[in-house]
């Protein structure tokens, strides 16, 4: 069963902004076009979601999830484009860009890491400690583990 995580509207008003954040976490990529790709058309049952609303949500969520590079990028882009961030969280005060994350390095740090691991590899008749791994990463990268 999946664990459900709920966010207050003071942090996130649109599910599309959470999807943008997850896409960034999964791929290490964020494109401003993501905001327009996820903008909802108005319908009779809901109001429209503007790219400015999504940008504000992404800004708040990037701070909440400690995604420093994304947070800085969204802030810098909004200032340069004069895009208003509504209900923005206070700035950390630093204008210097944090180092850009590197997905390969981040994933490599999970090899033999106990945090969040759900699989252990062992060699029969070997006294060595087991190697810790993460099923979700293995299934995403190898058809052997999807079977």
């Amino acid at each position: 069963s999946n664990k459900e995580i709920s966010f207050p509207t003071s942090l996130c008003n649109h599910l599309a902004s959470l999807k943008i954040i997850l896409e960034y976490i999964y791929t290490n990529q964020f494109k401003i076009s993501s905001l327009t790709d996820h903008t909802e058309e108005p319908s009779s049952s809901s109001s429209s979601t503007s790219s400015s609303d999504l940008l504000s949500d992404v800004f708040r969520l990037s701070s909440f999830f400690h995604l420093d590079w994304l947070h800085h990028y969204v802030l810098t882009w909004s200032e340069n484009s004069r895009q208003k961030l509504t209900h923005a969280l206070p700035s950390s005060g630093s204008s210097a860009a944090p180092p850009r994350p590197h997905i390969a390095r981040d994933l490599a740090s999970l090899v033999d890491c106990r945090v969040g691991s759900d699989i252990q590899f062992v060699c029969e008749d070997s006294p060595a400690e087991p190697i810790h791994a993460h099923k979700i990463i293995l299934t995403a990268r190898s058809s052997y583990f999807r079977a």
Side-chain angles (χ1 to χ4, degrees), residues 110-113 116-121 131-135 138:
L110 295 175
V111 174
D112 203 20
C113 176
S117 71
D118 50 3
I119 293 179
Q120 292 183 3
F121 291 100
I131 297 172
H132 299 273
H134 304 79
K135 181 179 179 182
L138 298 173

Side-chain angles (χ1 to χ4, degrees), residues 3-13 15 18 61 64-65:
K3 178 179 179 179
E4 183 175 299
I5 300 173
S6 178
F7 294 94
T9 55
S10 62
L11 183 61
C12 177
N13 290 302
L15 202 54
L18 275 170
L61 288 166
F64 180 79
F65 288 119

